[in-house]
Amino acid sequence: MRPLSDIVTSLCSSDPVEVTQEEALQLAKEATSEALYEAAHSVTRHCMGDAFDTCSIINVKSGHCSEDCHWCAQSAHYHTQADAYPLLDVEPCVAESRTNRQAGIGRIALVASGRGQSNREIERIAQHYEAMHQASDIKLCASMGLLTKEQLRRLHEAGVTTYHCNLESAPSHFPKLCTTHTQAEKEQTIRWAREVGLQVCSGGIIGMGETMAQRIEFACYLRSLAIRSIPINILQPIAGTPLAEEPRLTDEEYLRTVALFRLINPTAFLRFSGGRLRLSPEVMRQAMYIGINSAITGDMLTTSGMQAREDMQLIAEMGYRNTNEKDWRTEETA
């Protein structure tokens, strides 16, 4: 196995050599936290510079989902307190997109519950996006579940640039978390999204009973699909779901996970996502020093998010530059 210093030198060179899964496992077992954090920081700043990507979410349709994802409050399989409502009208979506852009946020996603969406719903949503596109220059993202290629094409025609489809966890762990769809179906959606011209955002949730080895497996899985925007959610145990009693990750577990994700995915945007309000301000700063260089800001589906103003202050404080100029489509090769 290469020493950590050699790995960093390689990743910061003009001809980098990927960290293997075996090397990452060895680092997880043997490297001190301080050494991991400094290594990941060096790689982040060399490979990604000071760019910081921000996005926000509008939960455009909530609840009554047919899928049995064990972490999710919107599943019809569980009794939770999550709001349930049909597709929102266009006006609040346009107003929210304009407000978010004025706050400095670079992207906004409409997120709809359900395994997928009907053609009629996609047409309505596409019209929402067309109106949002006219209202401001905020970049448009979508998270609608398992869509057909033609549905994805319609969203792209309406102005959507990014499709979000989380792979959620390591392939060895995912079947324990969801039985109503597979990661292979998600991969097909990702392939179709790219074929119609969309870039892809895909990550998952940590703290769902997986081991550190499985987090490393997951990071390598995302790399194998050339994912360049990776939301790292922290499980928010929700009463009524099968993971309601899952123990909380320690701060060190979270930070070491961020460091290993960065070493495995040196040119990806690693994104603060759901559950980060469980972190103290100091741990959030540490995570940004190590490798977090993007964030979902505002409300996040069924849990609370940080306000945009606080995030913008934190981004500047940590030496990053908030920008919506950086895209990752041209870097995707899968």
Side-chain angles (χ1 to χ4, degrees):
M1 174 187 148
R2 293 177 291 170
L4 181 56
S5 59
D6 288 357
I7 288 173
V8 173
T9 299
S10 173
L11 292 176
C12 295
S13 73
S14 59
D15 188 23
V17 176
E18 291 181 343
V19 176
T20 67
Q21 191 165 335
E22 293 71 24
E23 285 176 324
L25 287 167
Q26 197 72 17
L27 289 173
K29 291 177 183 177
E30 297 182 1
T32 66
S33 293
E34 182 179 1
L36 268 184
Y37 301 165
E38 290 301 325
H41 170 75
S42 296
V43 170
T44 299
R45 287 310 175 119
H46 177 84
C47 295
M48 300 298 289
D50 64 355
F52 199 96
D53 187 85
T54 53
C55 61
S56 190
I57 284 174
I58 300 174
N59 198 19
V60 74
K61 187 181 79 170
S62 183
H64 303 303
C65 182
S66 63
E67 307 305 281
D68 69 353
C69 305
H70 289 7
W71 62 87
C72 187
Q74 298 195 59
S75 171
H77 294 258
Y78 317 127
H79 298 289
T80 70
Q81 299 302 311
D83 291 338
Y85 49 81
L87 199 62
L88 295 178
D89 291 334
V90 63
E91 290 82 5
C93 297
V94 170
E96 191 71 11
S97 66
R98 187 184 291 114
T99 298
N100 275 268
R101 188 67 188 115
Q102 290 170 348
I105 296 170
R107 306 173 192 276
I108 194 162
L110 298 184
V111 180
S113 66
R115 177 185 177 90
Q117 313 302 317
S118 70
N119 288 337
R120 180 175 294 181
E121 286 172 319
I122 289 295
E123 183 54 37
R124 278 192 64 196
I125 290 167
Q127 292 170 12
H128 285 28
Y129 279 120
E130 288 165 348
M132 292 161 68
H133 185 63
Q134 290 293 319
S136 80
D137 68 344
I138 197 165
K139 293 185 177 179
L140 303 176
C141 309
S143 184
M144 308 278 164
L146 304 175
L147 300 188
T148 67
K149 189 172 181 178
E150 288 310 308
Q151 288 176 325
L152 291 161
R153 191 188 311 280
R154 178 67 183 101
L155 294 179
H156 184 45
E157 291 170 350
V160 176
T161 62
T162 303
Y163 197 71
H164 169 263
C165 184
N166 272 351
L167 287 159
E168 306 297 1
S169 193
S172 65
H173 193 53
F174 183 83
K176 300 176 184 177
L177 301 169
C178 178
T179 68
T180 50
H181 61 266
T182 66
Q183 285 180 318
E185 290 173 290
K186 289 174 173 284
E187 285 188 43
Q188 180 63 77
T189 297
I190 287 170
R191 284 193 294 272
W192 282 335
R194 284 173 166 160
E195 286 175 11
V196 303
L198 293 163
Q199 60 186 18
V200 171
C201 175
S202 182
I205 307 172
I206 60 173
M208 296 195 292
E210 78 285 349
T211 64
M212 181 60 84
Q214 286 173 318
R215 289 177 208 145
I216 289 168
E217 177 193 349
F218 183 40
C220 291
Y221 177 38
L222 294 169
R223 181 179 65 189
S224 75
L225 296 172
I227 304 299
R228 296 291 181 263
S229 174
I230 302 176
I232 302 178
N233 296 269
I234 305 166
L235 179 69
Q236 281 274 64
I238 296 169
T241 66
L243 298 183
E245 303 302 321
E246 198 64 37
R248 178 174 177 168
L249 287 180
T250 67
D251 291 343
E252 186 174 26
E253 280 182 287
Y254 169 70
L255 293 171
R256 286 177 69 86
T257 298
V258 170
L260 289 163
F261 263 71
R262 171 54 69 205
L263 295 176
I264 294 166
N265 294 278
T267 59
F269 281 97
L270 302 183
R271 194 173 300 273
F272 272 143
S273 302
R276 68 169 161 133
L277 287 189
R278 304 190 73 179
L279 305 173
S280 69
E282 179 53 36
V283 173
M284 280 191 272
R285 289 183 177 87
Q286 283 184 279
M288 292 173 72
Y289 177 83
I290 292 165
I292 294 292
N293 61 341
S294 53
I296 302 175
T297 182
D299 290 337
M300 279 164 266
L301 298 181
T302 58
T303 61
S304 296
M306 292 184 68
Q307 293 300 309
R309 185 186 308 172
E310 295 175 1
D311 275 347
M312 298 307 166
Q313 292 172 348
L314 185 59
I315 290 164
E317 176 188 329
M318 293 305 299
Y320 285 105
R321 177 177 54 90
N322 178 40
T323 176
N324 73 335
E325 298 169 0
K326 178 71 172 175
D327 277 328
W328 47 88
R329 180 187 294 107
T330 57
E331 299 170 16
E332 294 177 343
T333 57

